[in-house]
Structure formats: C-alpha cells, structure tokens
Amino acid sequence: MKRILICLSVAFLLGGCTSEYDMPVIPTDPEEPEIPDTPEEPEKPDEPVIPTDTLPFPARYMVARMDISVDGGKEITSKRKEDYLDCTIKIESDTAVWNYEGRGRIRGRGNSTWLWYEKKPYRIKLDEKAEILGLAAEKDWVLLANYRDPTHLMNTFVFEMGAGLDIPYPNHSRYVEVTINGDYKGLYQLTEQVEQGKNRVNIDKKKGWLLSLDVDDGPQESPAADDNFWSKTYFMPVCVKSPEAEDYATPATLINDAYDALGDLEKIIRKHDYEALSKVCDIPVMIDYLLIQELIYNVELSAPRSIFIHKDKGDNAKWTFGPLWDFDAGFDFDWSHMYTGHNYFANFRKTVLGTDPARHISDYTYTPSFFTDMWKDKTFVSEVKARWKAIKPRIMTEFWPEAKRYAEAAADAMERDAMRWPIDKHYATEIGRMESWLERRTAYMDIIVNKYPAGN
C-alpha cells in the first residue's frame, strides 16, 4: 500500500509541477514559443523473457539491493588506484537470475563529486568478469551517487537518449540501494565504466584510441601524469584512456602518436572541410552528440570535461564522438552554490554551443572551436537542422518517458535516500520541474536550430 500511495503521489507531482522562469532575450530576439501538449507515451517493445511476471515494472527499472563488506570493516577514504580495498559484493534483485555474490575491490571515484559532497561515488573492480543486473559481463563498474542531482535522472535521461539515437557504446542505468559495512548509503546508479573492452568501447586494445577531453585529467590539473597532453590545434586538455602504455607497440611514442592522431582531426575541423571530415569522422554521430549537449545545456562542454572520443584501428576507421558521460552539470545548474546547492531549471534560454556557434554567440564564448567550427560549413549546418527536426518529436514522447519510468519504479528508494541524505529539494517536485524545463528547452532549441546561420 505504501508503494502505491507514494507512486500515485509521484505521478501526480510529475504531471502537475510547473514553474515560471526569467527569460533573458537572446541575440535573435525570438517570440516566446507555444509549448505543445505532450503526446501520449509510445508503446515500448517487450522485455526479454525472464521470470518476472509478478514485478510491478519490467526488470531493468527495478531497484536492487547491493551489500558491500570491506575486509576488516575498513572505511573507503581514497579514490587513488593504489588504495583499492578488498571486499565482498552481494546483489539481491527481484529478478532472481540477476542475484550475484563475488569478490572484488572498491575505491572512491570522481572529481567534484568525491571532494565536495557527503554522499560519495565509488568504483568497483570485480575479481572475475560478471554480468551485473542483466548488463554485459565485465570487471569494472561505477556507482554514481547523484547527490548533486535532486532528480536522480539527469544521467539516465541522457543515457536513454543516446541509446535511442544509436550513439555507439551507450551506458546503461540500473538503480541499487547500497549498504557498505552495514551502513545504508542510499540510492545509487550502477553503470559501466567508460573504458576499452569487448563489452564497453569495443576498439582494438593496442591500436585503437579512446581519448578523454577533460581539464581534471589533463596536463593543467594533473601535470604529473604521463598519459595527457594539450592538443595541437585547439589546445584542449587530453587524457589517453586507451591504449595503456604497456599495451602500445611503442610505449615511448604513445603520447606523441595520440597528439598527432587527434591533431589530424583538428586540422580538418579547423578548415571546416565537410568532405574531408566525412572520411575521418562519423559526422551523424558528431551531430547527435553535440545536439544532446546543447539540449541539456551541458556547460562541461566548454571546459571541456567528461568528453570522450574514440577511433578503432585501421585506415578506414573513423573518429566517433562518445560515449556520453556525466550530466549533473547541465540543466542550468546553479554554479554560485556549487558546493552546497541542488538548484537547477531556473532558465531554459541559455546556450553553450550558441545561437551562432561559428561566431561563438553564446553564454559560453570560450567553448573550444573544436565543437563549433563546423558550423561554418553549409552542408554541416543543413544536416544539423535536418537531424534536429527528426530528433525533436522523440524527446518528450520517447526519451523522457523512458527515464521517468526509472523514477516511478524507484519511488520508495528515493524516499529512503531522501531520509538518509536530506536536502532542501524534494525529488518528486524536482522531477516535475525537470519535465517542464525539458518541454520549454525543446521548443526553445527549435528556434535556435532553425535560425542557425547557413554557413559557407
């Protein structure tokens, strides 16, 4: 009965929460868009056949229970690789075939999320590869605390959108209530570690490239690291995630080779040569990736942070943007209270790529031109506009309803998490505000995209 009442309450709040926003005028000075009614949710394909007929939601939405017992009851106080702690991990699911118990190691993870907030994120490395909650077998897994995000849905929404648009190697969401050494830690989002692997970013271990464009992992914030560099043309901070030096044919040249490989791509983008770019980069994925970043107003693109790009071995292999990662800095997060606040959704009229990306007419004029120079090309801009036209109807009818199902299934767990980590926001209210913001943001993006200058 408690689950039914809470779910009804969440459904009422999700459907009914709206708010007014300040609306600063952008350079194009468009009229306020009329927000259309949200169509009914489309039907979803059937779940794989597993014995879950009695579950109130399909298995992937259900919240599992994860109990981690660190050897000797040690406290997890570090995120350094050398400070992994041995542990036993037990997962209990309402889907019996997903139950798991095994040995592994655990440490902290993240940058601001580890340093600033009480509820900590973790990284787990199993001793043996294993399927976890129906996800493909691997050793490395991530527990996202989502403490800053009062909805618990920001990463999930983008993961679902990326998967729906077929951006390669999407992360998946599984929600778990975590207990460590008998201490209830709350609701976490379990997902894959972004890494090279058969069931992750499936590129060659020795000759493929997986690069992270990230200030924190780059030479400015991690000058002592031997796996990073400043890029040749756009001077972006880059960290080589794969290959690792010991796997590379000539370890001494790893950084120089990565520098040159990315530099070749940068040179083409700098010339905004569409035909040349189409031979070395998956342009449709690049467009989808950047449209998602703008849709959710992910300001991390401007740093940049948590931006991945990869390329397999072979002369015909192309650079591909993704996987998508880390989105609790989007949705108009209030950075003036970044250490303590959970404030989002105040304004849907800001841009990170810009109303005129090629000229950096944006709230973030210093976003690397690596992401905006192609707007100087008319073919690229034409494809952006056509792709947005195809994506727009799916945002509130397909991708958002899919993310919201996780919230409906996790209502009880969200309530328990709120008791464990009380903040000045209620998850149901914030999910309603997120839905309202996305509706307005989608309509506003339609104006922006349609008015992009045509290019040359």
Side-chain angles (χ1 to χ4, degrees), residues 3 55-66 91-95 98-99 133 152 173-178 184 186-190 405-417:
R3 175 184 290 274
L55 298 180
F57 295 91
R60 68 179 179 274
Y61 306 110
M62 297 294 291
V63 180
R65 296 155 297 282
M66 175 180 283
I91 299 174
E92 293 182 352
S93 169
D94 291 326
T95 304
W98 286 359
N99 289 348
L133 296 174
H152 298 269
S173 295
R174 294 292 187 267
Y175 284 87
V176 293
E177 290 189 274
V178 175
Y184 176 71
L187 181 65
Y188 280 73
Q189 181 180 359
L190 183 141
R405 288 188 181 93
Y406 287 94
E408 293 166 353
D412 289 352
M414 286 188 182
E415 191 67 34
R416 288 187 288 270
D417 183 88

Side-chain angles (χ1 to χ4, degrees), residues 150-221:
T151 71
H152 298 269
L153 291 183
M154 292 175 183
N155 285 307
T156 294
F157 170 74
V158 178
F159 291 171
E160 291 296 331
M161 187 171 181
L165 297 180
D166 295 322
I167 292 180
Y169 312 122
N171 279 65
H172 301 84
S173 295
R174 294 292 187 267
Y175 284 87
V176 293
E177 290 189 274
V178 175
T179 299
I180 299 178
N181 294 336
D183 181 15
Y184 176 71
K185 297 294 186 181
L187 181 65
Y188 280 73
Q189 181 180 359
L190 183 141
T191 190
E192 300 94 338
Q193 170 71 15
V194 177
E195 61 184 357
Q196 182 277 336
K198 179 181 178 182
N199 293 320
R200 298 294 168 81
V201 180
N202 190 12
I203 58 176
D204 189 79
K205 184 176 182 180
K206 296 184 178 181
K207 297 182 179 180
W209 294 111
L210 174 60
L211 307 180
S212 171
L213 313 182
D214 195 303
V215 169
D216 294 311
D217 288 341
Q220 180 174 323
E221 298 298 327

Side-chain angles (χ1 to χ4, degrees), residues 280-383:
V280 299
C281 179
D282 190 325
I283 293 179
V285 171
M286 176 184 181
I287 289 172
D288 284 357
Y289 185 93
L290 294 176
L291 283 172
I292 289 174
Q293 302 290 336
E294 185 68 283
L295 172 66
I296 68 157
Y297 183 49
N298 185 26
V299 302
E300 302 254 83
L301 191 71
S302 65
R305 283 187 175 90
S306 301
I307 304 299
F308 288 95
I309 186 168
H310 62 273
K311 179 181 181 292
D312 207 353
K313 69 175 182 179
D315 294 337
N316 296 322
K318 294 184 178 183
W319 283 104
T320 304
F321 279 69
L324 292 155
W325 184 252
D326 193 12
F327 297 99
D328 64 349
F331 303 92
D332 194 30
F333 176 61
D334 179 5
W335 288 93
S336 66
H337 296 89
M338 60 186 178
Y339 298 110
T340 57
H342 310 266
N343 304 317
Y344 293 85
F345 317 124
N347 192 330
F348 60 86
R349 283 175 162 268
K350 297 178 182 177
T351 61
V352 61
L353 290 172
T355 56
D356 183 353
R359 295 195 298 135
H360 290 269
I361 308 301
S362 169
D363 292 271
Y364 283 81
T365 57
Y366 51 83
T367 297
S369 295
F370 178 74
F371 304 115
T372 60
D373 269 350
M374 285 308 300
W375 265 261
K376 297 175 182 177
D377 179 88
K378 63 181 180 180
T379 303
F380 185 86
V381 174
S382 177
E383 291 201 5

